[in-house]
């Protein structure tokens, strides 16, 4: 049985017109004789009646006092409304279909409400419905605990629902339909001449996603990579193929083979705080104390730099007041700078190539942008800049590495 998973994001389902395009993609897949599983996100974005942010706003008005378990119940409604709505559209078009919630589709998670992890998938009901010739619509972003409580998988989690179902069903491919023509060399909202990438490896895109390229959720790519199920990221509003995300062998062979690229793309995310803690003369336990305290208080740390004179690291802006308070309670006098952004230069082929850092420094210096911190790995170089310099930094790096169209 050839199974295809199609996932449609919020903007792809937000208007009657957008849903007409969705219907066309569903008809195309059925015409190719695929057994079809359609994963949906909540309809629309902030401000739209049934969008996830709108549901969150509902309880924010009451002082955000809803416990995490009940908040997940509330958030799950967005995807349920969306799925039922699409089901009615398919029935009107004489296409047999049925809706399953994440739990009904057999997606079992742990009970970390708000960012639950999928523990297992038992897709029997999906198989039964597919055998009956139905399109199976599954609500994205959610699962259920062993106690049958609703959970959600973290913002952007419908992508993960789709690839996890793709893996469990041994789908031929997972199509992620969104509002852009695939994965581009940078966020097109910032870089207007960003170029679409046609074939990329799981690890390149995992890296881009972890560093803020919000077009796909990083966990979704990891899941697809483990199961070796290719993903196509493409636009709901066109018939173009978009970006194929697959394993390294596949991108280097066959038609459209891609040679090692030096730099794949530029990613960014804003609103982080740089914290510096200096160690006193002869003090050896500072690093342990600082990072243990952050871990015990579930504050996630990034961009860590440890040296004999102290430690430097970043936390999300919203965690910064708590982090600073904890450090003060330990007797330290931390210096901190909020409103920073991490800009990442990501490449499959930059390993060992000299001069990349020099190019980065040159690009940013030409724009009078101060680098507050930097770090590198085999495949990525990160720089920390101020939020107000972020857009200019992304554009300058994009240009310096010749990524434009
Ligand atoms: P959906 O609702 O379909 O899941 P998202 O808003 O989560 O859509 O993701 C699509 C958005 O991701 C695009 O509108 C685009 O602005 C943004 N984006 C960020 N980085 C990239 C990139 N490198 N390539 C394409 N889109 C990107
Ligand atoms: N509706 C959820 C969100 O807005 C999940 C998703 O869109 O992937 O985060
Ligand atoms: Mg998304």
């Amino acid at each position: 049985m050839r199974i295809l998973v199609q996932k449609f994001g919020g903007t792809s389902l937000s208007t009657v017109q957008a849903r007409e395009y969705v219907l066309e993609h569903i008809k195309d897949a059925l015409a190719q004789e695929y057994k079809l599983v359609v994963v949906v996100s909540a309809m629309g974005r902030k401000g739209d009646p049934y969008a996830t942010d709108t549901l969150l706003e509902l309880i924010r008005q009451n002082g955000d006092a809803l416990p995490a378990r009940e908040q997940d119940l509330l958030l799950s409604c967005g995807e349920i409304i969306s799925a039922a709505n699409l089901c009615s559209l398919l029935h009107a078009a004489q296409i047999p279909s049925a809706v399953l919630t994440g739990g009904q589709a057999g997606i079992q998670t742990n009970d970390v409400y708000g960012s639950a992890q999928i523990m297992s998938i038992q897709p029997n009901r999906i198989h039964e419905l597919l055998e009956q010739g139905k399109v199976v619509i599954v609500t994205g972003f959610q699962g259920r605990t062993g106690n049958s409580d609703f959970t959600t998988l973290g913002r952007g989690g419908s992508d993960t629902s789709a690839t996890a179902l793709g893996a469990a069903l041994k789908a031929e491919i997972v199509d992620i339909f969104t509002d852009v023509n695939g994965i581009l060399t940078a966020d097109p909202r910032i870089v207007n001449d960003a170029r679409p990438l046609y074939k990329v490896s799981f690890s390149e895109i995992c890296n881009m996603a972890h560093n803020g390229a919000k077009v796909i959720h990083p966990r979704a790519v990891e899941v697809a990579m483990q199961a070796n199920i290719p993903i196509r990221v493409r636009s709901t509003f066109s018939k173009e193929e978009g970006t194929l995300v697959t394993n390294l062998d596949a991108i280097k062979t066959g038609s459209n083979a891609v040679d090692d690229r030096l730099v794949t793309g530029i990613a960014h995310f804003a609103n982080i705080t740089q914290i510096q803690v200096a160690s006193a003369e002869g003090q050896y336990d500072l690093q342990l104390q600082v990072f243990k305290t952050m871990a015990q208080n579930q504050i996630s740390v990034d961009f860590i730099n440890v040296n004999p004179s102290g430690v430097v690291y970043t936390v999300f802006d919203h965690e910064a007041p708590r982090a600073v308070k904890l450090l003060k309670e330990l007797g330290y006098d931390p210096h901190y700078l909020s409103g920073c952004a991490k800009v990442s230069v990501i490449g499959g082929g930059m390993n060992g190539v000299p001069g990349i850092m020099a190019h980065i420094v040159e690009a940013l210096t030409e724009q009078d942008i101060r680098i507050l911190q930097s770090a590198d790995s085999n495949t990525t170089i990160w720089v920390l800049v101020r939020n107000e310099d972020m857009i200019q930094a992304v554009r300058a790096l994009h240009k310096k590495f010749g990524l434009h169209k």
Side-chain angles (χ1 to χ4, degrees):
M1 180 158 45
R2 288 171 71 218
I3 297 180
L4 176 70
V5 177
Q6 294 183 325
K7 177 256 168 177
F8 294 95
T11 42
S12 306
L13 293 157
S14 59
T15 62
V16 173
Q17 213 177 16
R19 292 191 289 271
E20 286 298 324
Y21 285 97
V22 170
L23 187 59
E24 279 309 304
H25 288 295
I26 290 175
K27 285 181 179 165
D28 280 352
L30 294 174
Q32 292 172 58
E33 300 192 348
Y34 277 114
K35 294 281 181 191
L36 187 58
V37 176
V38 177
V39 176
V40 293
S41 291
M43 288 151 57
R45 288 207 174 122
K46 209 173 195 146
D48 291 325
Y50 313 110
T52 305
D53 281 304
T54 310
L55 299 175
L56 278 170
E57 194 54 36
L58 189 71
I59 49 167
R60 206 154 281 152
Q61 291 161 0
N62 301 337
D64 253 339
L66 191 66
R69 175 179 169 278
E70 283 69 19
Q71 180 163 311
D72 270 6
L73 185 66
L74 171 70
L75 295 190
S76 299
C77 298
E79 271 66 15
I80 294 177
I81 293 169
S82 181
N85 186 42
L86 181 63
C87 189
S88 71
L89 187 66
L90 295 195
H91 277 266
Q94 321 291 334
I95 299 172
S97 62
V99 173
L100 296 176
T101 63
Q104 290 167 341
I107 301 178
Q108 181 148 343
T109 71
N110 61 15
D111 62 359
V112 182
Y113 298 104
S115 58
Q117 255 200 320
I118 297 177
M119 308 309 283
S120 65
I121 300 188
Q122 303 292 342
N124 333 12
R125 285 192 75 183
I126 298 185
H127 279 303
E128 276 165 29
L129 292 165
L130 289 177
E131 309 243 306
Q132 291 167 22
K134 293 187 175 156
V135 172
V136 183
I137 304 170
V138 182
T139 56
F141 177 52
Q142 56 178 254
R144 74 154 174 243
T145 65
N147 285 334
S148 297
D149 287 333
F150 279 85
T151 50
T152 64
L153 309 178
R155 298 305 306 268
S158 297
D159 296 335
T160 308
S161 309
T163 57
L165 284 170
L169 295 163
K170 300 196 173 37
E172 197 170 290
I173 198 159
V174 174
D175 273 340
I176 304 280
F177 285 96
T178 183
D179 60 351
V180 281
N181 249 336
I183 302 175
L184 287 85
T185 46
D187 187 342
R189 282 186 222 183
I190 289 192
V191 179
N192 59 18
D193 58 358
R195 185 158 41 94
L197 295 159
Y198 295 109
K199 242 185 188 185
V200 275
S201 67
F202 289 120
S203 57
E204 283 170 285
I205 294 314
C206 215
N207 233 334
M208 298 243 327
H210 271 298
N211 285 298
K214 154 168 189 284
V215 61
I216 188 161
H217 197 276
R219 185 79 196 116
V221 189
E222 283 163 8
V223 169
M225 176 156 63
Q226 274 162 18
N228 200 14
I229 307 265
I231 308 174
R232 224 164 14 192
V233 179
R234 49 195 299 201
S235 169
T236 302
F237 309 101
S238 86
K239 299 249 174 189
E240 281 176 46
E241 289 271 300
T243 304
L244 179 69
V245 188
T246 182
N247 64 48
L248 209 50
D249 286 344
I251 76 163
K252 290 192 172 165
T253 52
S255 61
N256 270 334
V258 178
D259 290 332
D260 270 348
R261 295 173 259 265
L262 198 59
V263 173
T264 309
I266 315 291
H268 65 277
F269 66 84
N271 304 328
I272 52 181
T273 296
Q274 184 193 44
I275 299 181
Q276 303 190 43
V277 194
S279 56
E281 194 58 38
Q283 186 191 3
Y284 297 109
D285 61 349
L286 172 125
Q287 301 143 19
L288 184 63
Q289 266 196 354
V290 168
F291 294 120
K292 223 170 147 180
T293 306
M294 295 299 122
Q296 278 161 353
N297 289 278
Q298 249 122 63
I299 298 178
S300 90
V301 296
D302 189 22
F303 232 136
I304 300 159
N305 189 318
V306 176
N307 60 60
S309 59
V311 295
V312 187
Y313 63 100
T314 60
V315 299
F316 292 117
D317 275 351
H318 69 267
E319 301 271 41
R322 209 158 58 89
V324 168
K325 186 165 169 272
L326 287 163
L327 292 168
K328 286 189 174 161
E329 281 166 10
L330 288 174
Y332 295 119
D333 180 22
H335 284 254
Y336 61 97
L337 182 66
S338 291
C340 297
K342 189 178 178 184
V343 178
S344 312
V345 176
I346 292 145
M350 65 164 70
N351 189 6
V353 177
I356 303 238
M357 190 60 193
H359 270 75
I360 293 176
V361 174
E362 191 179 45
L364 299 184
T365 313
E366 280 164 4
Q367 303 294 322
D368 283 331
I369 295 172
R370 215 173 126 215
I371 301 175
L372 303 167
Q373 203 179 325
S374 77
D376 69 293
S377 77
N378 280 345
T379 54
T380 311
I381 298 180
W382 299 271
V383 290
L384 189 72
V385 299
R386 287 177 181 271
N387 270 349
E388 53 267 34
D389 291 331
M390 180 184 77
I391 292 182
Q392 217 183 342
V394 172
R395 288 178 182 158
L397 291 168
H398 194 264
K399 195 162 176 208
K400 183 62 85 184
F401 288 101
L403 297 175
H404 47 280
K405 275 183 196 153

